[in-house]
Each structure stands twice: as structure tokens, then as C-alpha cells.
Amino acid sequence: MDRVSSTMKQVSNPLPKVLSRRAGGGGLEAERESFERAQTVSINKAINAQEVAVKEKHARTCILGTHHEKGAQTFWSVVNRLPLSGNAVLCWKFCHVFHKLLRDGHSNVLKDSVRYKNELSDMSRMWGHLSEGYGQLCSIYLKLLRTKMEFHTKNPRFPGNLQMSDRQLDEAGENDVNNFFQLTVEMFDYLECELNLFQTVFSSLDMSRSVSVTAAGQCRLAPLIQVILDCSHLYDYTVKLLFKLHSCLPADTLQGHRDRFLEQFRKLKDLFYRSSNLQYFKRLIQIPQLPENPPNFLRASALSEHISPVVVIPAEASSPDSEPITDLVEMDTASQSLFDNKFDDIFGSSFSCDPFNFNSQNGMSKDDKDRLIEQLYGEIAGLKEELENFKAESTRGAVQLRGRASELEAELAEQQHLKQQAQDESEFLRTELEELKKQREDTEKAQRSLTEIERRAQANEQRYSKLKEKYSELVQNHADLLRKNAEVTKQITVARQAQGDVEREKKELEDSFQRVSEQAQRKSQEQAEVLETLKRELAASRQELQVVQGTLESSTQAGAEQNTRIASLEQERDRLSQAAEQHRDEMAALQAELQQLQDTLSREQENSRTELETLQTQLRDKQESTERALQQRLAEEQLSLLQGTAREAERMVQDALTRMEDPAHISCTGSADCLLSRTLAASECAERLRDAHSKYLSDGAAVGSLLPCLALFAHLVSDTLLQGSATSHVAPVEPADRLLELCKQCGSAAVSYLSALQDPGTVASADCSLVTACLGQISTIGEELRPRGLDVRQEELGDLVDKEMAATAAAIETASARIEEMLSKARAGDTGVKLEVNERILGSCTGLMQAIHVLVLASKDLQREIVESGRGAASPKEFYAKNSRWTEGLISASKAVGWGATVMVDAADLVVQGKGTFEELMVCSREIAASTAQLVAASKVKADKDSANLCKLQQASRGVNQATASVVASTKAGRSQVEEKDSMDFSSMTLTQIKRQEMDSQVRVLELENQLQKERQKLGELRKKHYELAGVAEGWEEDAAD
């Protein structure tokens, strides 16, 4: 009985015994140790040195651990023991896990991680020094994590996974445009870090192979899933914030935001597209595609067209490794309850109370009991497997349902967006339909108006036809009058033959009749011109009607304006009709006058010579009055032409005076030679104007010669004033003030003279002598401002070239002799290193002088060849005078070479004596090389490219360059031998002393850099001034002006 009881105690309920043993160490400390041990194992499995992707189950265990302890203390305690600075793969996987914790972990993960921000920055800088492998990737990923921590610290309303509603986004900016502006900038920085990591990972992979299916490629691509999730939310929030900012701020203020968004939009679109084509991402995440074109923030309605990108994790992304891990105690409890239910179903409830029927079968053998226990253990194991399979299936079903729900939500959002677009399009089409109806009504009104205008045009054409018929009748009547006039002339001739005494008087009468007929012809021509004018006006009216027709199709207002214009045309037509009536009346009056003349002629033939003499007297009086009227009219027209020309000339001079006061004219500069040429031309024109004015006063018909002189005078005076003002900008202060004052006086005198020509009472007394005097004074100041270097007469240029070339050769020979003398003194007085250095330097200087001497001789030969081939029958001096600019360049280059040789010898002498510096000698050698290059350039300007002397000159130039390089090299070598080097022994210095010396060295470096910058600025200003002076001396400004 005791043995059965003990056996019953051992096997009655084995599963609760396991639970009791598991809960036996149930203190808080044991639970904490168990938790930390499990977390340590998971973190070490997730963050290891193997180049494979982090397993989801280990990462999820870390995430659940942060929620369990409500922080990340355990995570950081384990991570701090890992060698993150020694293994790049380890650091990369740490960044991946830490990124997932910041996104999906407890909210206190950020607070517990802020204290390690500086360590992450130091680690980022350390890995940034590696350009291969995971070094750059770790550096950029650590920068991204630091940026993410700073963003969420500044904006605590944003959760780690960045999922917010529109209302929460508005609350994050506190409805303040300044906060929204700053928040947009921070999001740009955040998204920029994400895109940098994206691009760096892609650039580190060999995309020509299927890297996404390899373990190493998946290790690099796995963190990009978190990046894609962050980028989708950041892009969505940035678009919404920019639309909000554009509704509150001007578009120009946000130009920088738009440019930065456009750049990030292109990058993100390209990266999303490239990611979606990788096989690794296709089974883990559904990447959204951005629209073809970026949103138009300048159009507020474009916000309704924006679709928020939704990242969907398909159901296939779930794997056995990523199944959620539940609490062990809860799992055991659920397993026990499930086992009890299953046990009751199999054996019944009564058997579950007494499973082995110990009350009725006390005599059961021990083997039967063991077999029963093993059977129960097998059934328990099967039930556990079924339970785990059921849980796995339920988890996968839940994940599938969540993915399907996300897809349906995305489809619902898209359908809502399409619905809104359809509503907007229908509203837009409704508005367009109303506008088309209005346009149709306007078109019908315009068509009716056009029909009325065409009817009026037809009426005008009919009236024009009637006028044309009446004009034909007038022409016919005029022809009849001419025929009658011819008959009258014949009768007069017959009468004169019959009456010899009155023959002369009849001829005069014929002349008078001829004049009358010419007047009639002129009147008929005037009528023809009037008719032609009517035709042109009618054609113009037709064109205007066509324009009116096109205009009426667009708007009714234009039709009203055309109606007004047509009314004015009708008035003009009525006026022309009245004019035609007046012409007809005049023609009738002419016909009556001719009839009266015929009657008078017949009476004169019949009556007496006295009446003929009276008629002649009347005709002579009429002719004289007509001539006087024509002469007076001609004089008035000539005076009007003179006044118009003088008025235009006065406006031109006045415009020049105004431009002199314009601030924009201050930057204009001019040369004295150009001013002298303008002043001379203006003075000559003033003399011609004075002569033409005198001729006009003596003979009014000579106005044709006065008007061109007047226009040219105004142009030249204006040009002189502007050139004088430009010259004063580069002249000394006192001459510039006098020149500017004289220009103003000259302009005022010219304006006064031109004003006098416009008044008929003062035309005779107008005088331009004051203008001529001012021009003379301006010319005097221009002579004073001319560069003195140009005072050499052209006939002296040839001699001056020869003198300068000879002086250059002499200077080179003198320099060579001085160098030989210095070399002899150095050999006599120096020894050792100093002697070696001096011999090397002076030897290189001697070689440079010899090379320059060869170059000068080659330049002389080439110059002689140029003169012989180009002068023709002229002398060399005439050739030099003709090519003065080239000659002056030769003179300047020769002077520079001679001066450079002298200066270099002086510098070498000081170096040998120990009083000069090696740098001065190097600068002198480079300067003399530049001077010889100038001489070569000036010599070969006019040379033939196939000339043998030119080849010799070029070879000599290369020899000078090599000799210059030799001088610089020997100088540097000598300096390195002479100068003493510091030993730089810091072994005896303490840390404080070394820090002090380091600070002193930094201060000295900054001082020397500052001095170097100032000296470079000074050198630039000196070169600029040298260029200006050289330009004045050689007439560059005059060449540019010409």
C-alpha cells in the first residue's frame, strides 16, 4: 500500500511538477538574470562578425526586451562590451539593430541612447578614414543614426517609426509658419542622410551580378528596408509641409526649399526604382513608386493630386525566424489548459480526475504504469506540436490579414483620390461648358455685327461706283473744254493773221489761256489724286473690316469699337463726298470762267485793242501776286526746315549733357588722343557751319548746305562732350575738373547757338564762335593729358630702337663681366660649402647671361629681316615710323631685358656677399626670363612663320628658359646647403611644454598665412597698376577706342 502511494505521487501529474520546478527560483533577481541572459544571447546572435543579414527573430527579441524593461539599458550594457571599433561588419550590424530599436522599440530607447551620441560621432569619424569595405558604410550609417536621434530629440511629437496623422503633423508645428519652416529644413537634412546611405550602399555593390541573392549582398541591403520605411514618411510629410508653407509665404522665399526638394525627389525616385528591381526586396517589402513629375507647389489644388506612398510588407515576408516570441509562462499555461481539454475529450472527465484508476486497480503492475506514462508523454508531445503548428498558422494568417488590410487601405485611399480627381474634372468640365456657351453667344452676336458691317461695306462700294462715274463725267467735260480751247486758239490765230497789228497781243492771250488750261489740268490731277486717296482709304477700310471681323470673333467689345470706327469711316466718306461736291462746283466755276473768257475773247476780237491790253495787265498782276506768294511760302518752308533741324540738333546736345550727369556714365573711360581727334573734327565742322550760315544769310536758297552741317555739328559736339567726360574719369583731379567744366560750357554754348537758329528774329545774329573757343580750350587740356611717352617723334623711333638694342647688349655684356669678377673674388676669398654654393649660383647666372646674349643677337637678325622685307622702297626709319606700335613694343621689351640683367647681377652680388636672399635672386631670374619672352613676342609679331631667323630666335628663347630653370635650381640647392636645419628634438619636453609649443606654432602659422595673403593682394594691385601704366605708355586705350 505504501509502495503504491509513493508511485502515485511520482507519476500522477508530471507537467505541474515541471512548472513548479520552473517557478521554484521565482524571485525578481532570478527573473532579471534570466531576462538579461536571454537578451545577451539574442544581441550577440544578432550582432556578430559574420557577413550575413541580421535574423528577424533575434532583432525582434531585442525589440521585445526594450518593451519589457521599458528602456535600452540592457542593450547598451551588452553593446558596450562588443568590439565595434575593431570590426566593420560588427559595427554595420549594430547600426542595423539600433535603427530597428529606434523605430520599433520602446519610447525610452531614445532617452537611454542620447548619452552615447558622442561615442557614435567619434566612431563615425574613425570609420570614415577607411575608403574600402564597410568603413564608409559604417561612417554614413552612424551619421544617419545621430541625425535621427537629434531629430526626435528636437521634435518629441514624432514617434520612432514616423507614423503620424495629418492632425498630429499640424500639432507638431503648433500652427506656426516659422515652426513649419524650420521643421521642413530638419526633414530635408534627415532625408539627405537617408539618401546618402542609400546611394553609398548601391555604389558599393557590383550591380552587374546578382548580389542580392548572396549572403554578403543581403548583409548590406538588409538595413535599407528601415531606410525605405523612413524615406516614404519623410517624403510624404515634406510634400504636405511645403504645400502648407506655400499657402502662407511668398513663392520667392521658398525657392531654396523647392530646389532642394526637387533634387531629393529625383534621387529618391531613382533609388526606389532601382530597389524595386532587386530580387531580395521583392519577397520582403513592396516599394512604392513616386509620380513621374514632382508636385507643383505653386498650384494649391495640386495637393489633392498627391498620393502618400505606402510601403507594404507582404505576407510572404514572414518566416519561421520572424515568428513572435511569447512569454514562456503564458505559453506553458496555455499548453496546460489545452492539454487538459484534450485529455478530457479522450478519456472523459471522470478519468481526468483519477487517470490511472488507482482507487479500483491497486494491484496494477509497474510495467503497465510505465507504459501508460510513456503513452501520456507521447500524447503530450503530439499535442504540443499541434499547438505550435496551430499558433504558427494563426500568426501567418494574422500577418496575411494585416498585409491584405494594408493593401485594401492603400486601394481605398487611391480610390478616394481618384474620386476626388473625377469630381474636380467634372467641375472643371462644367465650367468649361458654361464658358463655351457664353463664347457661342458672343460669336453669334459678332456674326450678326459682321453681317451688318458687310452690308454697309457694299453700300460704300456702291457709293464709290457712283463717285467714279461722276469723276469720269468730269474728265470728259474737261476734255471737251480742252478741245474748245484748241478751237478758240485756232480762231485767235486766224484773227491774228487777219489783223497783223494785234498778232503779239493774241500770242500773249494764248499764253494766258495755256496757263488757265494748266490750272485746269492741275485741278483735274488734284481731283484724280483725291480719287486715288479715296481708293486707298476704301482699301484701308476693307482691311480694317477684315481686322474687325477677326476681332469680333473674340469679343463683343471689339465689335463695338469697330462699329465706332465704321461710323467714323462713314463720316470720313461723307466728308469726302462733300469734297467731291466742292470739286464739282469748282469745275463748274472753271467751265463758267472759260466760257466767260471765250466771250471776252470774242468781244476783244470784235471791239478793240484796249480791252486786250487791259486783260494783259490783269494777267501780269495775277502772275506777280502768285510768284510773291510762292516765294513767301518757299521761305517759310526753308525756315521751318532750319528750325526742325536746329531743334533736333539741340535735343542731341542736350541729351549728351544729360548723359554726362548720369551715374551710369561714371564707369566710362577714354583716352586723351581720342578726345583730341573728336575735338579737331568738331572744330572743323564748326568752321564749315559758320561758312554755310553766312551763305544762308546772303541767299536763303542755300539752306541745303546749312542743314547737313548743322546735323553733323550736333553729332560731333555731343561725341566730344561724352568723350571729354569719359577722359576726365581717368585724369588727375584738377585737369579733370577743368575739362568737365569746359565740356559743360561748350554744351551750353552749343545749345544757345542752336536755340538762336530756331528764332526767326535771331537767325542773323547767331554765332558759334563761343563753341569754337571752348573746343580749343578742351583741345589744350587734352594735349596736357596725353602720355609723355608718346612725345617721341616718329622719325626718331628708328634711332631709338637701335639705341635700346645696343644698350641691352651692352648691359648684358657688363653683367657677364661683373659675374666673372664676382666669381674670381669668391674663389679667392671663400672656401668649403660657401665656395661651392657661390660657384654654382654664379655659374648658372653666367649661363643665363650667355643665353640672353644669344637671344638678343637672334632678335636683331630677325628684326633686320622684318625691316628689309616690309619696308619696300622706304627707309628703315620710315618703316619704324609707319609701324610705331610694334616699334614701341620692341623698345619697351629691350629696356626690360637690360634692366632685368642689371638687377639680377646686383642680387647675385648681394647673395655672394651674404647680404641678400636666395628668393630675391630667383625672382630676378624669373623676371628677366619674362622680359626676354616679351622681347621674343615683340620680335616675331611681323615675322614670317617659315623664317630661319625666327627658328633661331625660338631656340634661343628655349635656351633662356632652361638657363632660368638652372638658376632657380642652383639657388634652391645652395639655400638647402647653407641654411641650418633644426633638430626638432622633443624628447625632453613635457606634455604641457609640447602643447605650448604647438599653440605657438599654430599662432605663427596663422600670422605667416595672413602676411602671405596680404602680400599676394599687394602683388595683384602692383601688377594691375603696372598693366595700366604700360597701357597708357603704349597706347592700348587708343587702340581699343579706334
Side-chain angles (χ1 to χ4, degrees), residues 46-78:
I47 306 174
N48 52 47
Q50 297 178 1
E51 194 174 1
V52 295
V54 177
K55 291 188 176 181
E56 280 295 320
K57 63 180 181 180
H58 301 318
R60 185 163 298 177
T61 302
C62 298
I63 294 172
L64 293 175
T66 61
H67 288 281
H68 178 74
E69 68 171 348
K70 296 181 174 56
Q73 294 88 351
T74 304
F75 173 78
W76 282 109
S77 64
V78 176

